[in-house]
Amino acid sequence: MTDQASELRGKPTAASRTTLSHIMTGSDTNLLGTVHGGVIMKLVDDAAGAVAGRHSGGPAVTASMDEMVFLEPVRVGDLVHVKAQVNWTGRSSMEVGVRVLAERWNESTPPTQVGSAYLVFAAVDADGKPRPVPPVVPETERDKRRYQEAQIRRTHRLARRRAIKELREKRAAEGLDEG
């Protein structure tokens, strides 16, 4: 069997990069009167999903969200820009980096970064089975740095998953954590 992913032509980072913009309204607020974190997370997932689908040339599903960081509160009337790009690709998975910026809708001040996240998407076929994705080709020095950092995050994700699985197996063998 040939490795289909290695046969796919690489795509530059810019080919699938996108920005999703949305103005925040009163229906987006939490009990503190600022925009609910879940609203921002949905925008992040939407933008990342669009990028993953564009890069992979078809459906892609969220496999995990890493390091969702909220740096500043977002307020009603803020115009939020969610910028996403593929940082790294594996055989059927992609890490998408997302930056969240906000600016007042009626002011000409520059946007402020209010959050960031890393998501992993898996490309799937019509049956929901993993399918190969084209390699991402980092273009700029910033893209190359993001690619290298994504490889580190992947290594940490896999090591964490392995360590948790081993701990659970050990505790189960000792008769602990039943039920």
Side-chain angles (χ1 to χ4, degrees):
M1 183 169 123
T2 62
D3 183 10
Q4 291 177 321
S6 65
E7 294 175 9
L8 295 174
R9 172 177 277 168
K11 287 186 176 180
T13 307
S16 57
R17 188 178 292 144
T18 194
T19 300
L20 173 69
S21 297
H22 188 79
I23 193 158
M24 299 291 107
T25 66
S27 64
D28 299 319
T29 60
N30 59 27
L31 296 175
L32 299 176
T34 56
V35 173
H36 195 287
V39 171
I40 301 299
M41 290 173 74
K42 183 180 183 324
L43 293 173
V44 164
D45 192 44
D46 287 347
V51 166
R54 278 182 173 183
H55 182 83
S56 68
V61 296
T62 311
S64 70
M65 178 183 269
D66 289 353
E67 300 180 36
M68 181 71 218
V69 178
F70 298 99
L71 302 169
E72 299 282 338
V74 177
R75 301 172 294 157
V76 169
D78 281 352
L79 181 58
V80 172
H81 308 285
V82 183
K83 297 177 175 281
Q85 74 172 49
V86 173
N87 290 335
W88 175 90
T89 53
R91 198 170 30 253
S92 62
S93 64
M94 301 156 274
E95 183 197 88
V96 178
V98 181
R99 286 187 321 129
V100 183
L101 305 152
E103 62 181 311
R104 295 307 294 168
W105 69 274
N106 59 349
E107 296 176 9
S108 60
T109 56
T112 302
Q113 184 170 353
V114 296
S116 65
Y118 299 101
L119 297 88
V120 177
F121 278 78
V124 295
D125 63 18
D127 297 322
K129 303 291 184 207
R131 64 181 174 79
V133 298
V136 67
V137 180
E139 300 170 281
T140 66
E141 286 305 313
R142 177 181 276 180
D143 293 340
K144 291 173 186 172
R145 174 186 54 80
R146 289 177 176 163
Y147 184 90
Q148 292 170 328
E149 290 172 357
Q151 289 178 306
I152 293 168
R153 282 187 293 275
R154 179 177 187 271
T155 299
H156 286 214
R157 272 192 299 274
L158 294 175
R160 183 178 60 237
R161 187 179 307 151
R162 192 171 35 257
I164 289 170
K165 181 181 178 191
E166 289 170 2
L167 175 64
R168 288 180 179 175
E169 289 171 353
K170 178 180 179 230
R171 292 182 62 86
E174 295 170 349
L176 304 171
D177 289 344
E178 293 182 25

